[in-house]
Amino acid sequence: MALNLIKLCVGCDSVEDLEEWIAFRLDERRRAGEPVEQWHTTRMVPSRTAELVDGGSLYWVIKAQVQCRQRLLDIRPFVDADGIGRCHLVLDPKVERTQWQPRRAFQGWRYLKQADAPADLGRGGSGLMEMPPKLRQELAELGLL
């Protein structure tokens, strides 16, 4: 069974912000002639790599709510210029929206079992995607989403 990671999406106020940031970074890499792939750098290297890349995802917490996920494609450990071990979490650039799930702030990333992960929203069922992001946030804060 696939294993997931969960992490705070610092600096983004919405899923749309995250998608814009991803598109910007991919375009930068394309213009620079670098491989066009998206990754997130983290200091701690997951020890359960095989489980994570076997269908796992990185779930993003935005404004105290799990709101979306990206499929994990690879985990690449490396040592930075300061001699500190880090890794790139290589991600599918496609962002899948999920049901909202409240989460308190935490540092770094955590493992997330598939049974505890929020379900994908799917296509056209609930109408949540048609709502403005600010309205979705307000409804979530009231516990209505």
Side-chain angles (χ1 to χ4, degrees), residues 62-136:
I62 301 172
K63 296 289 184 180
Q65 300 280 336
V66 176
Q67 295 186 29
C68 62
R69 68 177 180 86
Q70 289 178 272
R71 195 166 52 88
L72 278 163
L73 303 176
D74 196 9
I75 297 175
R76 298 181 189 149
F78 68 97
V79 177
D80 70 10
D82 297 324
I84 299 171
R86 300 187 184 280
C87 79
H88 288 304
L89 303 174
V90 181
L91 304 165
D92 183 335
K94 185 175 189 306
V95 176
E96 293 287 340
R97 285 162 168 76
T98 65
Q99 293 178 352
W100 285 24
Q101 186 182 77
R103 286 290 169 143
R104 293 176 191 246
F106 58 92
Q107 292 185 352
W109 52 261
R110 302 285 185 270
Y111 289 114
L112 179 66
K113 295 177 187 172
Q114 193 63 39
D116 297 331
D120 290 353
L121 279 181
R123 304 287 180 248
S126 66
L128 282 176
M129 295 314 305
E130 289 77 32
M131 285 185 201
K134 185 170 174 52
L135 178 59
R136 287 195 312 254

Side-chain angles (χ1 to χ4, degrees), residues 5-69:
L5 294 176
I6 186 168
K7 184 161 183 21
L8 299 182
C9 192
V10 178
C12 288
D13 291 327
S14 67
V15 176
E16 292 80 8
D17 282 351
L18 175 62
E19 290 172 326
E20 288 172 14
W21 184 87
I22 291 167
F24 175 78
R25 294 291 294 156
L26 291 175
D27 191 45
E28 275 188 333
R29 289 190 177 104
R30 192 175 293 111
R31 285 193 312 261
E34 298 173 357
V36 181
E37 60 183 8
Q38 194 232 335
W39 70 77
H40 178 76
T41 304
T42 184
R43 185 168 162 260
M44 301 302 293
V45 180
S47 60
R48 300 171 70 180
T49 301
E51 293 172 86
L52 291 167
V53 297
D54 186 25
S57 292
L58 175 61
Y59 283 78
W60 290 109
V61 178
I62 301 172
K63 296 289 184 180
Q65 300 280 336
V66 176
Q67 295 186 29
C68 62
R69 68 177 180 86

